Amino acid sequence: MASQYSAGGTATRERRLAWVDAAKGMAILLVVTHHAVMFLAESGQAPDPVVAANSALASLRMPLFFLASGLFAAGPLAASWRTLLHKRVAFFLYLYLLWTLLRWAFFTTVPEGVDPDDSARLEVLLWAPLLPGPSLWFLYALAVFSVLGKLVRRVPVALQLGATAVLSAVAGAGLLGIDSFAWTFMARYLFFFLVGCYARDLIERLARSTTPVAVVFAAAACVVGAGIAVALGLRSVPGVSFLLNVLAVVFGILFAALIVRFRVGRPLVALGQQTLPVYLIHMVWLALVMIGLRHVDLPVAVQYLAPPVLAVALTAVSLLTHRLLVKAGATWLFALPSRLAYRPARSAGGRSPANARPAA
């Protein structure tokens, strides 16, 4: 145990945390890019190759995000129900419901034809507790996954992963028959969340094995696999989409672990530590940008460049907005109010026992 805190042990631990944050940073940039493409397509300003590339990246962005989230969830899942319900379930559901209401109020003021998700519809708001909306379903999923992970904690890990892998394969082939894209996605990505929870050692070994050659090979496998699946019409075959997701996640881990070895990876690491405000805020700024852009005839070259440029700009302005809101005292927009926040259980003498501190 003591050697864990030696200089070498600490450095190794920091590198592992760094690559996980880099993976989260990469995932949130892909999410923002995805929404930018959606909004541009709504106004006819997203070329077909851009839309196709955005669809292909679906194999990476959310599975990688859930895997990274699972890596940070093992501690809370091992803690008491009280800790889990406060630190994860109440936290994520509070933010989901709050921002669903805020976005609904905002998009009621936005001109028609800007929002591809129709967030201003009243039925979307009313059904939000059961049918998560298109833009905030990730928070809802994390709350649901936390409860499910706790409920099945005593079930053998192999059985959990095997069952959710089959569920993912069936859902990815469109065979579940669930009339809710969010619940379908949750069925597809629960496996990756659980892998993050239970296979941390395996994931870290994969990350440590990264090399430029391995990253190139993994990227090529993703491209070839996706190309074959599309060319032969195999995406509806059970297991194909699941395998493409697995390949993409392997690439994401290897790439994140490699890029943190260089200075160019530092911004991704920093971004990965602040994904929540970007996720919550960027859609508002994107809608405001599109109110103006939808009336502009963008040159074709600009249409190709717009999604990544918008993603970087929206990420930056979202982080700035978050900082200003927190300075103004609006922390309730990003965290549970104090009366709902986690409180360690107190001993009979009125002091909090040492082991009551919530797991990280």
Side-chain angles (χ1 to χ4, degrees):
M1 180 67 71
S3 63
Q4 176 182 344
Y5 298 97
S6 65
T10 301
T12 300
R13 184 170 179 270
E14 288 175 352
R15 283 198 298 272
R16 291 173 184 174
L17 291 175
W19 77 257
V20 175
D21 285 330
K24 291 177 63 182
M26 180 167 57
I28 193 63
L29 281 176
L30 290 175
V31 168
V32 179
T33 302
H34 166 63
H35 289 151
V37 172
M38 286 174 53
F39 274 68
L40 288 165
E42 184 73 8
S43 59
Q45 302 189 81
D48 289 341
V50 171
V51 175
N54 183 54
S55 298
L57 287 171
S59 294
L60 175 62
R61 54 180 174 257
M62 296 316 297
L64 184 62
F65 227 146
F66 279 113
L67 181 91
S69 298
L71 288 170
F72 291 110
L77 288 181
S80 67
W81 270 105
R82 183 174 181 273
T83 299
L84 180 75
L85 292 175
H86 275 85
K87 293 194 67 175
R88 292 189 67 84
V89 180
F91 173 71
F92 289 124
L93 288 182
Y94 167 78
L95 291 180
Y96 167 74
L97 293 172
L98 172 63
W99 281 86
T100 295
L101 178 61
L102 292 174
R103 285 193 183 180
W104 174 81
F106 169 77
F107 278 106
T108 57
T109 69
V110 172
E112 291 186 8
V114 171
D115 176 24
D117 292 337
D118 291 330
S119 303
R121 288 187 300 148
L122 183 59
E123 56 266 35
V124 171
L125 178 66
L126 296 177
W127 280 103
L130 295 177
L131 300 176
S135 302
L136 292 167
W137 70 274
F138 177 67
L139 299 176
Y140 189 98
L142 288 178
V144 172
F145 287 0
S146 296
V147 172
L148 288 176
K150 187 68 172 177
L151 288 173
V152 301
R153 187 164 179 80
R154 295 183 181 275
V155 177
V157 172
L159 182 56
Q160 291 186 47
L161 296 182
T164 53
V166 171
L167 179 64
S168 178
V170 173
L175 300 178
L176 278 187
I178 301 176
D179 191 21
S180 167
F181 88 96
W183 282 98
T184 300
F185 281 175
M186 282 189 269
R188 291 183 63 179
Y189 302 141
L190 175 58
F191 169 82
F192 297 96
F193 177 81
L194 293 177
V195 168
C197 291
Y198 296 120
R200 187 181 184 104
D201 289 343
L202 176 63
I203 294 169
E204 289 183 347
R205 286 200 298 271
L206 176 62
R208 289 196 298 270
S209 71
T210 189
T211 63
V213 173
V215 171
V216 171
F217 182 80
C222 292
V223 172
V224 171
I228 292 175
V230 172
L232 299 181
L234 301 177
R235 295 299 292 263
S236 60
V237 176
V240 172
S241 292
F242 172 71
L243 290 176
L244 292 177
N245 288 343
V246 171
L247 285 175
V249 167
V250 169
F251 162 75
I253 294 170
L254 293 172
F255 179 80
L258 180 66
I259 200 171
V260 296
R261 299 177 181 177
F262 306 96
R263 289 187 177 182
V264 69
R266 293 179 183 176
L268 277 181
V269 175
L271 176 59
Q273 298 168 355
Q274 307 175 78
T275 56
L276 183 61
V278 176
Y279 184 76
L280 293 173
I281 296 171
H282 78 276
M283 288 284 280
V284 173
W285 284 110
L286 177 56
L288 292 174
V289 170
M290 288 309 304
I291 290 174
L293 278 185
R294 68 190 182 122
H295 297 300
V296 178
D297 187 14
L298 296 176
V300 175
V302 175
Q303 291 182 19
Y304 278 92
L305 292 174
V309 171
L310 278 175
V312 173
L314 292 168
T315 298
V317 75
S318 295
L319 291 173
L320 176 60
T321 303
H322 170 252
R323 179 174 297 184
L324 294 175
L325 288 170
V326 169
K327 284 186 176 181
T331 54
W332 55 274
L333 288 171
F334 309 99
L336 276 172
S338 58
R339 66 181 179 277
L340 300 176
Y342 176 83
R343 297 183 186 88
R346 293 187 176 274
S347 63
R351 294 183 179 180
S352 298
N355 61 1
R357 187 173 58 180

